[in-house]
Amino acid sequence: MTRFLVILSIIYIALSIYGFQAFRTLFKSAWWHWAYAIAFFSVWAVLIVKLVTADPNTPMRSQIAIAGGVFFSFFLLALFLGFFLLLEDVVRLSVYGFNKIAGVTGEGGKYFPSRRKFVSGIGLGLAAIPFGALLFGMYRGKYNYKVLTYELEFDDLPEAFDGYQITQISDIHSGSFDDRDKVAYGVDLINEQQSDVILFTGDIVNDKCEELRPWAAIFSKLSAKDGVYSVLGNHDYGDYTQWPSQEAKAQNLEDLKNLQREMGFDLLLDEHRFLERDGQKIVLMGVENWGRGGFKKAGDLQKAKSGVAKDDFKILMSHDPSHWEDEVISDDYHFHLTLSGHTHGMQFGVEIPGLIKWSPVKWRYKYWAGLYNEMGQFINVNRGFGFIGYPGRVGIWPEITVLKLKRKKSA
């Protein structure tokens, strides 16, 4: 950690000093120069203090996340400024070389051209876009809940379930929350959908059960006619923090399972439930986390479907969408609808319905946000209710998904 902080500090300070050249070109007042220096130094100092004094055995605290988010915003500001200054300096050096060889001098007999205000202005203006977006994402974006509604048609949906409504949420990450009113508003918004069932697809904490306890009363208010069901995500196993012993880690997982049950969540651990209506049924299945690329592969799909008939209508809850891609769609059973989360849409991207849907996470996950259909099977990848790491969202907003099941009408 110490080496990482030293390297990070050197890069940040170097970028800050280099980027200051553009700032100095545009603003001549010493007050502005001091404001620049104080702002960049303060952001760096706060982050270093937070990281150095942090206890690695405690859950990630919101103060550390906020300090990191502000630091990253300033880091990108300096990086963008540095990029434009570098382009300008390449041109200036080329002109200097030509002037030196040709013996051409500019104003005051100088061979080396001065910085141009318009280049610095363009650099600062463009750099301000990600800088402002990241700060706005921390201030407003992380609780900017959106309700997304989809209607799905199936030939073999039991008639009694025509119009059945599901609300899906995912990736609560309770250890990152810092505003009880906003979280309570999000829970109320979920209940306002008045769905028949609420399904939570994993990652209720960042690391430890203790993160959830302050928020348990709020999430206990989730209510639906057919109940609230959940599965585990990769973060729920406590794999990303230090434990005094394996016994303590195992006890944390048991405590988390029990707390979810106390909250009224029916936690599915490689098992299934039958949802019944007017003598007909559909199957709700839930597996433990199964993920590609180093993530825990605890889920057992075969165990979960034991006792389920091939022609049953099946809804599967599986936290990581790579499970659907690698195992589910090729299984000999037909899983009508799979619900996942995990990716968060990277909490950063651009989405304009019908025009563009982009996030850097698409380079890792083929199915990273929204609804997909392969081989007659659907998956919805929820963008997440909470956040982790960067304490905000830009362009990829926290999501409450409403899925309406419809029986396809005969021609």
Side-chain angles (χ1 to χ4, degrees):
M1 175 63 78
T2 302
R3 178 180 296 180
F4 171 77
L5 289 180
V6 170
I7 295 174
L8 182 66
S9 297
I10 291 173
I11 295 173
Y12 176 75
I13 292 171
L15 285 173
S16 301
I17 293 173
Y18 190 48
F20 176 68
Q21 307 306 311
F23 199 80
R24 186 175 61 178
T25 301
L26 290 169
F27 302 98
K28 301 302 183 182
S29 171
W31 289 104
W32 282 107
H33 299 170
W34 278 107
Y36 179 99
I38 291 171
F40 271 86
F41 176 79
S42 298
V43 166
W44 168 78
V46 169
L47 177 65
I48 295 300
V49 169
K50 293 291 184 183
L51 290 175
V52 170
T53 59
D55 183 351
N57 294 314
T58 61
M60 184 187 73
R61 296 177 179 176
S62 60
Q63 289 184 354
I64 297 175
I66 291 172
V70 174
F71 173 84
F72 184 61
S73 301
F74 274 79
F75 187 94
L76 281 184
L77 178 64
L79 183 64
F80 271 70
L81 280 176
F83 173 76
F84 280 93
L85 290 176
L86 181 61
L87 292 179
E88 184 186 20
D89 284 344
V90 169
V91 174
R92 293 170 71 208
L93 284 171
S94 300
V95 172
Y96 168 77
F98 175 82
N99 289 345
K100 192 72 173 177
I101 294 172
V104 178
T105 60
E107 185 179 345
K110 295 180 180 179
Y111 289 108
F112 202 86
S114 302
R115 292 197 180 279
R116 298 189 176 185
K117 276 192 173 184
F118 83 90
V119 174
S120 295
I122 291 173
L124 185 60
L126 293 177
I129 295 174
F131 176 73
L134 288 172
L135 293 180
F136 177 81
M138 294 170 59
Y139 175 61
R140 292 292 297 273
K142 59 187 176 183
Y143 296 118
N144 186 25
Y145 301 110
K146 300 297 182 184
V147 178
L148 303 184
T149 302
Y150 303 99
E151 189 170 288
L152 307 179
E153 289 190 334
F154 302 92
D155 292 319
D156 54 349
L157 178 70
E159 290 184 7
F161 286 88
D162 186 22
Y164 194 78
Q165 183 168 296
I166 300 165
T167 290
Q168 180 200 0
I169 56 173
S170 192
D171 299 86
I172 287 174
H173 288 287
S174 52
S176 299
F177 289 144
D178 55 12
D179 191 320
R180 295 189 68 82
D181 290 340
K182 295 292 179 59
V183 175
Y185 163 75
V187 169
D188 288 343
L189 191 58
I190 295 168
N191 285 333
E192 284 175 13
Q193 307 313 309
Q194 297 184 326
S195 290
D196 296 290
V197 68
I198 296 174
L199 306 180
F200 169 67
T201 47
D203 276 1
I204 202 166
V205 296
N206 296 337
D207 296 295
K208 297 185 175 184
C209 177
E210 294 305 311
E211 300 168 13
L212 179 58
R213 294 194 188 280
W215 308 95
I218 293 177
F219 285 100
S220 295
K221 295 179 180 178
L222 289 174
S223 177
K225 180 168 52 179
D226 288 341
V228 181
Y229 297 84
S230 64
V231 293
L232 296 175
N234 55 296
H235 278 268
D236 297 325
Y237 296 89
D239 289 341
Y240 309 117
T241 191
Q242 298 178 15
W243 297 95
S245 65
Q246 285 300 310
E247 291 76 15
K249 181 181 179 182
Q251 186 60 53
N252 175 76
L253 180 57
E254 288 305 309
D255 291 344
L256 183 63
K257 293 176 182 178
N258 291 331
L259 182 54
Q260 287 198 46
R261 291 168 181 139
E262 291 172 14
M263 291 163 51
F265 288 23
D266 188 349
L267 180 62
L268 302 183
L269 303 170
D270 298 333
E271 51 191 326
H272 62 267
R273 303 282 188 268
F274 289 104
L275 304 178
E276 297 187 8
R277 176 172 287 187
D278 298 335
Q280 297 181 320
K281 66 182 180 180
I282 60 175
V283 184
L284 176 63
M285 306 168 62
V287 294
E288 294 197 47
N289 189 79
W290 192 105
R292 184 201 307 149
F295 291 105
K296 184 181 289 292
K297 289 182 171 62
D300 188 338
L301 183 62
Q302 303 310 311
K303 180 181 177 183
K305 74 181 191 181
S306 178
V308 176
K310 273 192 173 183
D311 59 354
D312 283 334
F313 187 93
K314 294 171 285 293
I315 299 172
L316 173 67
M317 302 166 65
S318 181
H319 177 70
D320 192 318
S322 66
H323 185 216
W324 187 72
E325 183 179 0
D326 290 357
E327 285 200 340
V328 176
I329 56 177
S330 59
D331 191 85
D332 60 344
Y333 272 38
H334 181 88
F335 292 89
H336 299 76
L337 173 62
T338 298
L339 303 177
S340 299
H342 181 62
T343 71
H344 299 209
M346 207 172 174
Q347 297 168 211
F348 177 85
V350 180
E351 289 193 274
I352 303 175
L355 293 177
I356 186 171
K357 177 182 173 182
W358 177 88
S359 168
V361 78
K362 70 176 294 183
W363 296 322
R364 171 150 192 186
Y365 291 96
K366 181 178 179 180
Y367 308 102
W368 60 273
L371 193 67
Y372 303 88
N373 185 356
E374 297 284 353
M375 300 169 60
Q377 301 174 82
F378 289 98
I379 184 173
N380 184 67
V381 184
N382 184 283
R383 295 160 179 81
F385 184 86
F387 50 92
I388 190 173
Y390 165 60
R393 286 177 175 266
V394 179
I396 305 291
W397 312 119
E399 176 180 342
I400 298 165
T401 313
V402 175
L403 300 124
K404 297 180 180 180
L405 308 185
K406 300 292 291 182
R407 182 178 176 89
K408 189 174 291 186
K409 305 298 182 183
S410 301

